[in-house]
Amino acid sequence: MELRHLRYFRAVGEELHFGRAAERLHIAQPPLSQQIRQLERELGVSLLRRTTRSVELTAAGRAYLQRTVEILDAVEEAGSQAGRIAAGLEGRLTIGCVGSATYSLLPRLVRALGEALPALDVTVRGEMLAPAQISALLSGDIDLALLRPPADQDGIVAEIVRRDRLLVALPADHHLAGRTELTVEDLRAEDFIVHVGHGRSVMSNLVAAICADAGYVPRIRQEVSETSTLITLVAAGLGVAIVPDPTAALDIAAVRYVPLAPPTLGVDLVAARAATNDSATIGNVLAILRSLDV
């Protein structure tokens, strides 16, 4: 039995006329009759009652026609779905994201993906530090990473999405909170809240580097893994933090954000994927990401 036998039987069963069914299938009537009889012999049942004037479905034929329609429709849908997946219009996508972008870019990206690719099942893993995202890309646990550089290691392809200026997050009642701008030198005597160090956070390394350029080692009060926790501790008055500009989307009343001078102090946000993942889905998602005004 082949799919063509099912297609032939469906046409005859729906038309109840061999001539019309043959026209619908664009084949001659005698071969069509032969194929239907071959199908009946293989099944060992009569599917049709034939007279010189009419064609009717037997009880077995009616049941077989119902299942035949379901099978052929499923085969057609399977082919259509395979085409949509190959074109990157359907499937699954897991996005990893650093904390600051979790509160700014990520919501807009997920909304844009929902509008442009509604059949794409998007999963988000927010508040992931950059090294953890790189590992997840290489292991296949995530498909796209939004992280802070560097991401120039073997097996990773990355592109810059934007550059974010640095801000100082301070308790709202801090004596420096009224300033319109701060320098790293202004923070010399302050306790710092930072992301976990020892190579696990790009921002932790950046804070250490810019403080070193100012001639001091920052006094670390506490290390955290999540940006939301970092800002919460600032609000509690435990210290100050240097953060990317999008972190200000965490609009907590007890925290004041002041730009860090000079304005050239900043950090890039990059989109990265595994070099082995060059699927149409990733291509479509990156195209949508580039189209956003970020």
Side-chain angles (χ1 to χ4, degrees), residues 151-194:
D152 54 352
Q153 68 183 74
D154 290 344
I156 298 295
V157 177
E159 62 181 78
I160 295 176
V161 175
R162 70 184 185 200
R163 185 166 179 82
D164 295 324
R165 186 175 178 179
L166 296 181
L167 307 176
V168 182
L170 310 105
D173 58 357
H174 193 280
H175 70 279
L176 296 175
R179 300 270 292 273
T180 58
E181 193 174 72
L182 291 169
T183 67
V184 179
E185 176 60 35
D186 293 326
L187 307 175
R188 178 184 290 269
E190 302 299 325
D191 290 334
F192 278 75
I193 311 295
V194 298

mmCIF file of all heavy atoms in Angstrom, residues 151-194:
data_model
loop_
_atom_site.group_PDB
_atom_site.id
_atom_site.type_symbol
_atom_site.label_atom_id
_atom_site.label_comp_id
_atom_site.label_asym_id
_atom_site.label_seq_id
_atom_site.Cartn_x
_atom_site.Cartn_y
_atom_site.Cartn_z
ATOM 1 N N ALA A 151 33.102 37.736 24.389
ATOM 2 C CA ALA A 151 32.474 36.488 23.948
ATOM 3 C C ALA A 151 33.183 35.986 22.696
ATOM 4 O O ALA A 151 32.581 35.445 21.792
ATOM 5 C CB ALA A 151 30.997 36.725 23.660
ATOM 6 N N ASP A 152 34.510 36.199 22.683
ATOM 7 C CA ASP A 152 35.301 35.925 21.481
ATOM 8 C C ASP A 152 36.063 34.602 21.580
ATOM 9 O O ASP A 152 37.196 34.494 21.128
ATOM 10 C CB ASP A 152 36.287 37.072 21.225
ATOM 11 C CG ASP A 152 37.169 37.364 22.433
ATOM 12 O OD1 ASP A 152 36.914 36.775 23.500
ATOM 13 O OD2 ASP A 152 38.098 38.183 22.307
ATOM 14 N N GLN A 153 35.449 33.612 22.178
ATOM 15 C CA GLN A 153 36.137 32.339 22.302
ATOM 16 C C GLN A 153 35.716 31.395 21.183
ATOM 17 O O GLN A 153 34.726 31.621 20.475
ATOM 18 C CB GLN A 153 35.838 31.708 23.660
ATOM 19 C CG GLN A 153 34.414 31.243 23.862
ATOM 20 C CD GLN A 153 34.214 30.694 25.267
ATOM 21 O OE1 GLN A 153 34.154 31.451 26.232
ATOM 22 N NE2 GLN A 153 34.126 29.380 25.376
ATOM 23 N N ASP A 154 36.478 30.323 21.016
ATOM 24 C CA ASP A 154 36.185 29.359 19.956
ATOM 25 C C ASP A 154 34.788 28.783 20.134
ATOM 26 O O ASP A 154 34.352 28.481 21.252
ATOM 27 C CB ASP A 154 37.206 28.215 19.984
ATOM 28 C CG ASP A 154 38.591 28.667 19.552
ATOM 29 O OD1 ASP A 154 38.682 29.753 18.950
ATOM 30 O OD2 ASP A 154 39.561 27.946 19.835
ATOM 31 N N GLY A 155 34.090 28.639 19.021
ATOM 32 C CA GLY A 155 32.761 28.041 19.050
ATOM 33 C C GLY A 155 31.640 29.016 19.283
ATOM 34 O O GLY A 155 30.478 28.617 19.318
ATOM 35 N N ILE A 156 31.947 30.315 19.425
ATOM 36 C CA ILE A 156 30.933 31.325 19.689
ATOM 37 C C ILE A 156 30.995 32.409 18.616
ATOM 38 O O ILE A 156 32.072 32.885 18.260
ATOM 39 C CB ILE A 156 31.125 31.979 21.076
ATOM 40 C CG1 ILE A 156 30.994 30.933 22.180
ATOM 41 C CG2 ILE A 156 30.134 33.116 21.281
ATOM 42 C CD1 ILE A 156 29.622 30.319 22.308
ATOM 43 N N VAL A 157 29.831 32.776 18.107
ATOM 44 C CA VAL A 157 29.707 33.886 17.159
ATOM 45 C C VAL A 157 28.898 34.982 17.838
ATOM 46 O O VAL A 157 27.804 34.718 18.354
ATOM 47 C CB VAL A 157 29.009 33.442 15.860
ATOM 48 C CG1 VAL A 157 28.833 34.627 14.919
ATOM 49 C CG2 VAL A 157 29.809 32.337 15.178
ATOM 50 N N ALA A 158 29.423 36.210 17.870
ATOM 51 C CA ALA A 158 28.756 37.290 18.602
ATOM 52 C C ALA A 158 28.742 38.568 17.783
ATOM 53 O O ALA A 158 29.611 38.792 16.934
ATOM 54 C CB ALA A 158 29.451 37.533 19.944
ATOM 55 N N GLU A 159 27.750 39.392 18.046
ATOM 56 C CA GLU A 159 27.670 40.714 17.423
ATOM 57 C C GLU A 159 27.185 41.716 18.459
ATOM 58 O O GLU A 159 26.387 41.382 19.343
ATOM 59 C CB GLU A 159 26.738 40.719 16.212
ATOM 60 C CG GLU A 159 25.292 40.368 16.519
ATOM 61 C CD GLU A 159 24.432 40.368 15.275
ATOM 62 O OE1 GLU A 159 24.491 39.386 14.511
ATOM 63 O OE2 GLU A 159 23.692 41.350 15.083
ATOM 64 N N ILE A 160 27.676 42.950 18.364
ATOM 65 C CA ILE A 160 27.296 43.990 19.323
ATOM 66 C C ILE A 160 25.879 44.457 19.039
ATOM 67 O O ILE A 160 25.524 44.761 17.902
ATOM 68 C CB ILE A 160 28.278 45.178 19.247
ATOM 69 C CG1 ILE A 160 29.682 44.733 19.691
ATOM 70 C CG2 ILE A 160 27.794 46.329 20.131
ATOM 71 C CD1 ILE A 160 30.732 45.819 19.547
ATOM 72 N N VAL A 161 25.070 44.516 20.080
ATOM 73 C CA VAL A 161 23.699 45.005 19.976
ATOM 74 C C VAL A 161 23.643 46.499 20.279
ATOM 75 O O VAL A 161 22.991 47.266 19.574
ATOM 76 C CB VAL A 161 22.784 44.233 20.945
ATOM 77 C CG1 VAL A 161 21.369 44.817 20.945
ATOM 78 C CG2 VAL A 161 22.749 42.755 20.590
ATOM 79 N N ARG A 162 24.338 46.916 21.319
ATOM 80 C CA ARG A 162 24.358 48.330 21.699
ATOM 81 C C ARG A 162 25.445 48.537 22.745
ATOM 82 O O ARG A 162 26.041 47.578 23.249
ATOM 83 C CB ARG A 162 23.006 48.753 22.270
ATOM 84 C CG ARG A 162 22.713 48.142 23.635
ATOM 85 C CD ARG A 162 21.335 48.483 24.136
ATOM 86 N NE ARG A 162 21.148 47.966 25.496
ATOM 87 C CZ ARG A 162 19.958 47.777 26.046
ATOM 88 N NH1 ARG A 162 18.855 48.043 25.377
ATOM 89 N NH2 ARG A 162 19.865 47.307 27.291
ATOM 90 N N ARG A 163 25.696 49.792 23.075
ATOM 91 C CA ARG A 163 26.615 50.120 24.175
ATOM 92 C C ARG A 163 25.833 50.872 25.238
ATOM 93 O O ARG A 163 25.100 51.825 24.936
ATOM 94 C CB ARG A 163 27.790 50.962 23.681
ATOM 95 C CG ARG A 163 28.832 51.222 24.772
ATOM 96 C CD ARG A 163 30.131 51.741 24.202
ATOM 97 N NE ARG A 163 31.126 52.010 25.231
ATOM 98 C CZ ARG A 163 31.903 51.090 25.788
ATOM 99 N NH1 ARG A 163 31.780 49.830 25.410
ATOM 100 N NH2 ARG A 163 32.787 51.409 26.699
ATOM 101 N N ASP A 164 25.982 50.451 26.492
ATOM 102 C CA ASP A 164 25.263 51.050 27.610
ATOM 103 C C ASP A 164 26.202 51.884 28.471
ATOM 104 O O ASP A 164 27.286 51.419 28.848
ATOM 105 C CB ASP A 164 24.630 49.960 28.489
ATOM 106 C CG ASP A 164 23.550 49.185 27.750
ATOM 107 O OD1 ASP A 164 22.826 49.799 26.950
ATOM 108 O OD2 ASP A 164 23.437 47.965 27.979
ATOM 109 N N ARG A 165 25.779 53.104 28.777
ATOM 110 C CA ARG A 165 26.541 53.939 29.696
ATOM 111 C C ARG A 165 26.443 53.367 31.102
ATOM 112 O O ARG A 165 25.497 52.647 31.445
ATOM 113 C CB ARG A 165 25.999 55.371 29.683
ATOM 114 C CG ARG A 165 26.847 56.330 30.515
ATOM 115 C CD ARG A 165 26.382 57.757 30.414
ATOM 116 N NE ARG A 165 27.206 58.609 31.264
ATOM 117 C CZ ARG A 165 27.056 59.925 31.372
ATOM 118 N NH1 ARG A 165 26.103 60.545 30.698
ATOM 119 N NH2 ARG A 165 27.855 60.623 32.166
ATOM 120 N N LEU A 166 27.434 53.693 31.946
ATOM 121 C CA LEU A 166 27.433 53.221 33.329
ATOM 122 C C LEU A 166 26.783 54.249 34.249
ATOM 123 O O LEU A 166 26.928 55.461 34.059
ATOM 124 C CB LEU A 166 28.858 52.926 33.795
ATOM 125 C CG LEU A 166 29.585 51.803 33.055
ATOM 126 C CD1 LEU A 166 30.978 51.608 33.637
ATOM 127 C CD2 LEU A 166 28.799 50.495 33.115
ATOM 128 N N LEU A 167 26.062 53.731 35.231
ATOM 129 C CA LEU A 167 25.438 54.553 36.257
ATOM 130 C C LEU A 167 25.935 54.114 37.625
ATOM 131 O O LEU A 167 26.423 52.996 37.791
ATOM 132 C CB LEU A 167 23.908 54.399 36.233
ATOM 133 C CG LEU A 167 23.169 54.609 34.917
ATOM 134 C CD1 LEU A 167 21.680 54.319 35.114
ATOM 135 C CD2 LEU A 167 23.375 56.022 34.404
ATOM 136 N N VAL A 168 25.779 55.005 38.606
ATOM 137 C CA VAL A 168 26.016 54.645 40.002
ATOM 138 C C VAL A 168 24.653 54.522 40.679
ATOM 139 O O VAL A 168 23.853 55.452 40.638
ATOM 140 C CB VAL A 168 26.873 55.686 40.732
ATOM 141 C CG1 VAL A 168 27.135 55.237 42.173
ATOM 142 C CG2 VAL A 168 28.192 55.919 40.005
ATOM 143 N N ALA A 169 24.388 53.363 41.250
ATOM 144 C CA ALA A 169 23.152 53.165 42.016
ATOM 145 C C ALA A 169 23.473 53.442 43.479
ATOM 146 O O ALA A 169 24.383 52.826 44.053
ATOM 147 C CB ALA A 169 22.634 51.740 41.842
ATOM 148 N N LEU A 170 22.742 54.375 44.083
ATOM 149 C CA LEU A 170 22.974 54.758 45.476
ATOM 150 C C LEU A 170 21.665 54.724 46.259
ATOM 151 O O LEU A 170 20.584 54.905 45.677
ATOM 152 C CB LEU A 170 23.537 56.181 45.579
ATOM 153 C CG LEU A 170 24.737 56.569 44.732
ATOM 154 C CD1 LEU A 170 24.304 57.441 43.597
ATOM 155 C CD2 LEU A 170 25.771 57.280 45.584
ATOM 156 N N PRO A 171 21.745 54.519 47.578
ATOM 157 C CA PRO A 171 20.549 54.709 48.396
ATOM 158 C C PRO A 171 20.030 56.134 48.206
ATOM 159 O O PRO A 171 20.814 57.081 48.070
ATOM 160 C CB PRO A 171 21.054 54.487 49.824
ATOM 161 C CG PRO A 171 22.301 53.658 49.659
ATOM 162 C CD PRO A 171 22.918 54.113 48.380
ATOM 163 N N ALA A 172 18.730 56.298 48.145
ATOM 164 C CA ALA A 172 18.153 57.612 47.854
ATOM 165 C C ALA A 172 18.565 58.666 48.870
ATOM 166 O O ALA A 172 18.605 59.863 48.553
ATOM 167 C CB ALA A 172 16.633 57.502 47.797
ATOM 168 N N ASP A 173 18.877 58.254 50.111
ATOM 169 C CA ASP A 173 19.273 59.228 51.135
ATOM 170 C C ASP A 173 20.791 59.361 51.253
ATOM 171 O O ASP A 173 21.304 59.987 52.197
ATOM 172 C CB ASP A 173 18.676 58.842 52.493
ATOM 173 C CG ASP A 173 19.106 57.445 52.945
ATOM 174 O OD1 ASP A 173 19.819 56.750 52.178
ATOM 175 O OD2 ASP A 173 18.722 57.037 54.061
ATOM 176 N N HIS A 174 21.533 58.815 50.296
ATOM 177 C CA HIS A 174 22.998 58.888 50.325
ATOM 178 C C HIS A 174 23.447 60.335 50.089
ATOM 179 O O HIS A 174 22.802 61.094 49.355
ATOM 180 C CB HIS A 174 23.571 57.974 49.239
ATOM 181 C CG HIS A 174 25.041 57.718 49.363
ATOM 182 N ND1 HIS A 174 25.997 58.621 48.932
ATOM 183 C CD2 HIS A 174 25.730 56.652 49.854
ATOM 184 C CE1 HIS A 174 27.204 58.128 49.155
ATOM 185 N NE2 HIS A 174 27.066 56.932 49.719
ATOM 186 N N HIS A 175 24.565 60.716 50.681
ATOM 187 C CA HIS A 175 25.011 62.106 50.567
ATOM 188 C C HIS A 175 25.419 62.479 49.142
ATOM 189 O O HIS A 175 25.508 63.674 48.811
ATOM 190 C CB HIS A 175 26.176 62.380 51.540
ATOM 191 C CG HIS A 175 27.456 61.707 51.176
ATOM 192 N ND1 HIS A 175 27.711 60.383 51.472
ATOM 193 C CD2 HIS A 175 28.568 62.187 50.532
ATOM 194 C CE1 HIS A 175 28.925 60.060 51.050
ATOM 195 N NE2 HIS A 175 29.465 61.128 50.472
ATOM 196 N N LEU A 176 25.665 61.476 48.277
ATOM 197 C CA LEU A 176 26.016 61.767 46.882
ATOM 198 C C LEU A 176 24.809 61.676 45.944
ATOM 199 O O LEU A 176 24.934 61.946 44.742
ATOM 200 C CB LEU A 176 27.085 60.783 46.391
ATOM 201 C CG LEU A 176 28.450 60.845 47.079
ATOM 202 C CD1 LEU A 176 29.349 59.727 46.558
ATOM 203 C CD2 LEU A 176 29.107 62.211 46.837
ATOM 204 N N ALA A 177 23.647 61.312 46.475
ATOM 205 C CA ALA A 177 22.487 61.054 45.626
ATOM 206 C C ALA A 177 21.955 62.305 44.940
ATOM 207 O O ALA A 177 21.267 62.212 43.923
ATOM 208 C CB ALA A 177 21.366 60.400 46.441
ATOM 209 N N GLY A 178 22.298 63.461 45.450
ATOM 210 C CA GLY A 178 21.817 64.693 44.839
ATOM 211 C C GLY A 178 22.665 65.188 43.693
ATOM 212 O O GLY A 178 22.293 66.162 43.021
ATOM 213 N N ARG A 179 23.776 64.540 43.438
ATOM 214 C CA ARG A 179 24.678 64.971 42.361
ATOM 215 C C ARG A 179 24.079 64.614 41.000
ATOM 216 O O ARG A 179 23.334 63.641 40.853
ATOM 217 C CB ARG A 179 26.039 64.303 42.529
ATOM 218 C CG ARG A 179 26.743 64.634 43.850
ATOM 219 C CD ARG A 179 27.611 65.861 43.715
ATOM 220 N NE ARG A 179 28.741 65.566 42.845
ATOM 221 C CZ ARG A 179 29.902 65.039 43.279
ATOM 222 N NH1 ARG A 179 30.059 64.719 44.557
ATOM 223 N NH2 ARG A 179 30.900 64.829 42.431
ATOM 224 N N THR A 180 24.402 65.408 39.993
ATOM 225 C CA THR A 180 23.937 65.117 38.629
ATOM 226 C C THR A 180 24.909 64.204 37.896
ATOM 227 O O THR A 180 24.567 63.645 36.849
ATOM 228 C CB THR A 180 23.777 66.415 37.828
ATOM 229 O OG1 THR A 180 25.030 67.117 37.796
ATOM 230 C CG2 THR A 180 22.713 67.309 38.456
ATOM 231 N N GLU A 181 26.105 64.033 38.457
ATOM 232 C CA GLU A 181 27.115 63.188 37.831
ATOM 233 C C GLU A 181 28.150 62.827 38.886
ATOM 234 O O GLU A 181 28.412 63.606 39.804
ATOM 235 C CB GLU A 181 27.766 63.944 36.661
ATOM 236 C CG GLU A 181 28.589 63.102 35.739
ATOM 237 C CD GLU A 181 29.074 63.907 34.534
ATOM 238 O OE1 GLU A 181 29.962 64.768 34.709
ATOM 239 O OE2 GLU A 181 28.549 63.684 33.425
ATOM 240 N N LEU A 182 28.723 61.618 38.762
ATOM 241 C CA LEU A 182 29.752 61.173 39.700
ATOM 242 C C LEU A 182 30.928 60.601 38.925
ATOM 243 O O LEU A 182 30.777 60.117 37.799
ATOM 244 C CB LEU A 182 29.196 60.102 40.641
ATOM 245 C CG LEU A 182 28.151 60.542 41.667
ATOM 246 C CD1 LEU A 182 27.524 59.323 42.332
ATOM 247 C CD2 LEU A 182 28.792 61.459 42.719
ATOM 248 N N THR A 183 32.088 60.647 39.552
ATOM 249 C CA THR A 183 33.261 59.989 38.996
ATOM 250 C C THR A 183 33.603 58.777 39.855
ATOM 251 O O THR A 183 33.117 58.645 40.978
ATOM 252 C CB THR A 183 34.468 60.940 38.955
ATOM 253 O OG1 THR A 183 34.875 61.239 40.311
ATOM 254 C CG2 THR A 183 34.137 62.235 38.225
ATOM 255 N N VAL A 184 34.465 57.926 39.333
ATOM 256 C CA VAL A 184 34.903 56.768 40.100
ATOM 257 C C VAL A 184 35.642 57.226 41.353
ATOM 258 O O VAL A 184 35.529 56.602 42.423
ATOM 259 C CB VAL A 184 35.783 55.850 39.235
ATOM 260 C CG1 VAL A 184 36.260 54.649 40.055
ATOM 261 C CG2 VAL A 184 35.017 55.373 38.013
ATOM 262 N N GLU A 185 36.379 58.312 41.266
ATOM 263 C CA GLU A 185 37.113 58.841 42.420
ATOM 264 C C GLU A 185 36.158 59.231 43.548
ATOM 265 O O GLU A 185 36.491 59.074 44.737
ATOM 266 C CB GLU A 185 37.941 60.056 41.992
ATOM 267 C CG GLU A 185 38.689 60.754 43.120
ATOM 268 C CD GLU A 185 39.683 59.841 43.838
ATOM 269 O OE1 GLU A 185 40.290 58.975 43.165
ATOM 270 O OE2 GLU A 185 39.836 59.986 45.066
ATOM 271 N N ASP A 186 34.965 59.714 43.210
ATOM 272 C CA ASP A 186 33.982 60.097 44.229
ATOM 273 C C ASP A 186 33.557 58.911 45.088
ATOM 274 O O ASP A 186 33.021 59.094 46.196
ATOM 275 C CB ASP A 186 32.723 60.693 43.576
ATOM 276 C CG ASP A 186 32.985 62.026 42.898
ATOM 277 O OD1 ASP A 186 33.826 62.786 43.403
ATOM 278 O OD2 ASP A 186 32.346 62.293 41.855
ATOM 279 N N LEU A 187 33.782 57.692 44.605
ATOM 280 C CA LEU A 187 33.307 56.486 45.286
ATOM 281 C C LEU A 187 34.396 55.791 46.090
ATOM 282 O O LEU A 187 34.165 54.707 46.629
ATOM 283 C CB LEU A 187 32.716 55.501 44.257
ATOM 284 C CG LEU A 187 31.646 56.066 43.318
ATOM 285 C CD1 LEU A 187 31.248 55.011 42.292
ATOM 286 C CD2 LEU A 187 30.433 56.545 44.094
ATOM 287 N N ARG A 188 35.543 56.401 46.193
ATOM 288 C CA ARG A 188 36.698 55.766 46.834
ATOM 289 C C ARG A 188 36.378 55.283 48.248
ATOM 290 O O ARG A 188 36.817 54.200 48.657
ATOM 291 C CB ARG A 188 37.871 56.747 46.867
ATOM 292 C CG ARG A 188 39.117 56.210 47.548
ATOM 293 C CD ARG A 188 40.202 57.278 47.615
ATOM 294 N NE ARG A 188 40.746 57.553 46.288
ATOM 295 C CZ ARG A 188 41.799 56.933 45.761
ATOM 296 N NH1 ARG A 188 42.405 55.975 46.464
ATOM 297 N NH2 ARG A 188 42.241 57.261 44.580
ATOM 298 N N ALA A 189 35.628 56.062 49.018
ATOM 299 C CA ALA A 189 35.384 55.719 50.420
ATOM 300 C C ALA A 189 34.117 54.880 50.621
ATOM 301 O O ALA A 189 33.747 54.582 51.766
ATOM 302 C CB ALA A 189 35.284 57.004 51.252
ATOM 303 N N GLU A 190 33.472 54.483 49.527
ATOM 304 C CA GLU A 190 32.185 53.798 49.645
ATOM 305 C C GLU A 190 32.334 52.278 49.706
ATOM 306 O O GLU A 190 33.292 51.704 49.190
ATOM 307 C CB GLU A 190 31.285 54.158 48.447
ATOM 308 C CG GLU A 190 31.027 55.639 48.284
ATOM 309 C CD GLU A 190 30.311 56.246 49.475
ATOM 310 O OE1 GLU A 190 29.468 55.535 50.073
ATOM 311 O OE2 GLU A 190 30.590 57.417 49.806
ATOM 312 N N ASP A 191 31.361 51.645 50.354
ATOM 313 C CA ASP A 191 31.217 50.192 50.268
ATOM 314 C C ASP A 191 30.525 49.856 48.945
ATOM 315 O O ASP A 191 29.581 50.547 48.542
ATOM 316 C CB ASP A 191 30.382 49.656 51.427
ATOM 317 C CG ASP A 191 31.111 49.738 52.763
ATOM 318 O OD1 ASP A 191 32.359 49.719 52.744
ATOM 319 O OD2 ASP A 191 30.433 49.828 53.798
ATOM 320 N N PHE A 192 30.977 48.786 48.297
ATOM 321 C CA PHE A 192 30.422 48.395 46.997
ATOM 322 C C PHE A 192 29.615 47.105 47.118
ATOM 323 O O PHE A 192 30.004 46.173 47.835
ATOM 324 C CB PHE A 192 31.542 48.167 45.981
ATOM 325 C CG PHE A 192 32.069 49.427 45.344
ATOM 326 C CD1 PHE A 192 32.908 50.293 46.041
ATOM 327 C CD2 PHE A 192 31.738 49.747 44.031
ATOM 328 C CE1 PHE A 192 33.397 51.434 45.454
ATOM 329 C CE2 PHE A 192 32.225 50.898 43.439
ATOM 330 C CZ PHE A 192 33.061 51.746 44.150
ATOM 331 N N ILE A 193 28.508 47.069 46.394
ATOM 332 C CA ILE A 193 27.779 45.823 46.140
ATOM 333 C C ILE A 193 28.095 45.458 44.694
ATOM 334 O O ILE A 193 27.897 46.276 43.787
ATOM 335 C CB ILE A 193 26.253 45.983 46.307
ATOM 336 C CG1 ILE A 193 25.929 46.688 47.634
ATOM 337 C CG2 ILE A 193 25.563 44.643 46.198
ATOM 338 C CD1 ILE A 193 26.323 45.908 48.855
ATOM 339 N N VAL A 194 28.601 44.256 44.461
ATOM 340 C CA VAL A 194 29.005 43.868 43.109
ATOM 341 C C VAL A 194 28.458 42.475 42.774
ATOM 342 O O VAL A 194 28.044 41.724 43.665
ATOM 343 C CB VAL A 194 30.546 43.867 42.943
ATOM 344 C CG1 VAL A 194 31.116 45.254 43.175
ATOM 345 C CG2 VAL A 194 31.183 42.838 43.867
#
